Amino acid sequence: MSSPILKIDNIKNIAVYKNFQWSNSVRDEGNNIAEFKNINVIYGRNYSGKTTLSRIIRSAEIGVLSDKYVTPEFKFSLADGSEITQRSLTTHSHVIRVFNEDFVRDNLRFITDNEQTINSFAILGEDNTRLEEEIETNEIELGSVEEKDGLIGKSIEATEKHSRAENAYSKKLTALEKKLRDKANKAGSGIKHNKNFGNANYNLTKIKSDIQNVIKDSFSPITDEDVVMKLSLLKEAPKEEIRESSLFNLKYSSILTLAKELVEKKIQTSAPIQELLNDSVLAAWVRLGREQHENKREQCAFCGSDLPPELWDKLDKHFNQESENLLTALRALLTTIQKEKARLPNLLKINNSDFYSNFHEDLDTLKEELSKCTESYLATIELIEVQVKSRMEDIFKDKVFEEPTSVETELNNIRLSFEELRNKANQSTSSLSSDQLKARDGLRLNEVYTFINDISYVDETKAIEKLKEDQATAARLKIGANAEVSAKRKKIAELKAQLKDESKGADQVNEYLNNFFGHQSLSLKAIEETSPLVRTGYRFEVIRNEQKAYHLSEGECSLIAFCYFMAKLKDIETKGNQPIIWIDDPISSLDANHIFFVYSLINAEIVTPETYDDADEIKERNRFEQLFISTHNLDFLKYLKRLPGASNKKKSQYFIINRTDQTSDISLMPKYLKEYVTEFNFLFHQIHKCAAITAINDDNYTTFYNFGNNARKFFEIYLYYKYPDQGMTQTTLKAFFGEESVPAILSDRINNEYSHLAGVFERGSTPIEVPEMHTAAKFILDKIKQNDHEQYMSLVQSVGEVSA
């Protein structure tokens, strides 16, 4: 099916159309871009570019544009949204039929060569009732676009369902992709612009890839603590290498062994002093006093009594060398214990600032373990210390050593754990960049994971997948329905091919020649051509009085060519398809009668709807989608204005082609040419305007400037019909104005001087005298009104003015 042409957007480098732009030229009085309508009339003088325009249109019919044009370009816009350009001549589906001189040359070669024939064409025959009934049955099954029934109705319904399914799928998919696109790169909130894990190249494709990763069963979202840790890691700068911690070298084992030995060691005295054995405090006091007095004093520093010489010997026997050695050993051990206790706070210094933030949690745990373990270790040492001091206080009394539970291994393990963290931290310095990259990936994926949960991505994709399946199903049904339509049309075409009769094409041409133009002696004859074995087809010849015609006049050639074109609109490829029809200047070399007959043929066979029966109900169907007629002939233009619908502004449009030097342009037809029936009406209107204007301005100046020519031409027509034996002379001018000689003289002067500058060449360099023209115009109107009031009123009404 065809679709109306709305406009010719542009034409470039094609003959007189150098760089035509529709939007620049074809505008109405309100400066709105005008468009083609159902009926389009184009006027242009010879050589203005009408035929070139028809050739451009015809290239869309035959699929090729002349190779004589260098880098040609053009574009048509059609109502269904499609376009036709020089690149799509063979791919569009619109039915176009063009009549122009190229059509005549291609199909009616006899016009330029008497020895040639006319291309035959086939129209439906009328002899096979069975085939016609079968065709009718198949056409009913096929249905129609207008009624939306049959297979076509099914195809339309399937197409509409597919369109709805496609729109629903597209709408849902577009909405989801907008959410993804916004999340990927929307300013402010998009992942692309995130200061922690954003990426300047992040886009829709990458967020889709991330989504595929996070919807896998193997993906585990990170915790809030992980998020904080990764954000901290991203803030890290490379740290200095952490040195190895010193070995603890704990003395616990040696202290324990020695303490047990010393605490449990037995001492034998040679002459013990029982009192000192019984009182360990007194024994300690005596030992200390001995150190302060022996070999130093002869009197007691406490009581002042003399110290007997045998006292030291007695004390030596009690405090023998073995006990003194044990005491010395215990004192040394106690010193060792004190040193070990003093070392404990400085065994291991753990500074979080030396480590990356992701180690801080482990370090804090290690610190806590170190503190507890150190306290436990200290407690064990102090327990040993207490037992050592106890033995020192009672050196002669051996004791049972209580061995505390050792935490030496645990404490050393804490150092080993620290060393592991230290090594990892040092390794992290070299891998910081990759670790931060992993942190960014983790944060980004976590963001994507949160996002798809927020928008119910999985449910959305399932809904979209369902819509996609619905669309695919609708597409299959559409393809199937269209295939059924195509198969049915092919079947109908095959049946019609059995009915088509090329001889009927010639009969249709002859019907037009005889019925519309009255050419009884001139006709086409279909001559069957055969090979020795089979029939090969028909050829058409022009016949005059039963003989092949030669030396046809230009008018006869024009008539036969146009009748041939009109008949071909009923051929098997065109009839019923409602084509776009373009007729270029069909009245070349025809007289006035034949011009009217051409108009009548167009009116009857194209513009008037075709009537047909449908279940005993009379209906009408348009024979064409759109009609274009171009002409250079004003008489033919006058007839075209009478076509049904030609005066309806919603159905018709009028254009004019103007040529300036080597360039042509298309515009809307001016009002005077479109609305006036004859030039006589136009000239009268110009005189009427001149009579009504009292003040000259830029808008109406041309009315006065052209008044001389307009008035002269008006009188030539008016006075010729009033005085056909004389026409316009000074005598008939005086007769028109009667006894008033002044108006006649004034009008004659304006008609001559302002029309021809006759004898007054300098008039061309001086301003036009408006008052004279205004006065003359009023004289003319008043005289017509006085002499023939009915004609005056009719003229006024014909130009759409109100009588004064």
Side-chain angles (χ1 to χ4, degrees), residues 128-147:
N128 197 320
T129 303
R130 182 189 61 79
L131 286 174
E132 288 178 345
E133 290 176 353
E134 191 174 349
I135 290 170
E136 183 180 0
T137 300
N138 279 271
E139 286 181 336
I140 291 172
E141 293 173 357
L142 177 63
S144 67
V145 175
E146 294 82 1
E147 300 296 331

Side-chain angles (χ1 to χ4, degrees), residues 27 34 345 425 487 525 709 768:
R27 291 180 175 266
K525 183 178 181 180
N709 277 323
I768 294 182

Side-chain angles (χ1 to χ4, degrees), residues 245 248 344-350 366 370 414-415 418:
S245 63
F248 286 176
L344 290 180
N346 298 312
L347 279 179
L348 181 62
K349 294 293 184 181
I350 300 177
L366 200 61
L370 176 63
I414 289 175
R415 177 185 175 274
F418 173 81

Side-chain angles (χ1 to χ4, degrees), residues 69-117:
Y69 302 126
V70 180
T71 63
E73 295 179 20
F74 67 83
K75 183 175 79 171
F76 305 153
S77 292
L78 289 91
D80 61 2
S82 64
E83 296 177 347
I84 300 178
T85 71
Q86 72 280 357
R87 293 182 295 274
S88 62
L89 296 179
T90 59
T91 58
H92 72 88
S93 59
H94 302 285
V95 181
I96 299 173
R97 296 293 181 262
V98 177
F99 175 80
N100 64 5
E101 62 182 44
D102 295 338
F103 169 87
V104 175
R105 182 183 63 250
D106 293 344
N107 292 279
L108 296 94
R109 293 183 295 275
F110 84 97
I111 289 177
T112 55
D113 185 352
N114 289 329
E115 298 302 320
Q116 295 294 324
T117 60

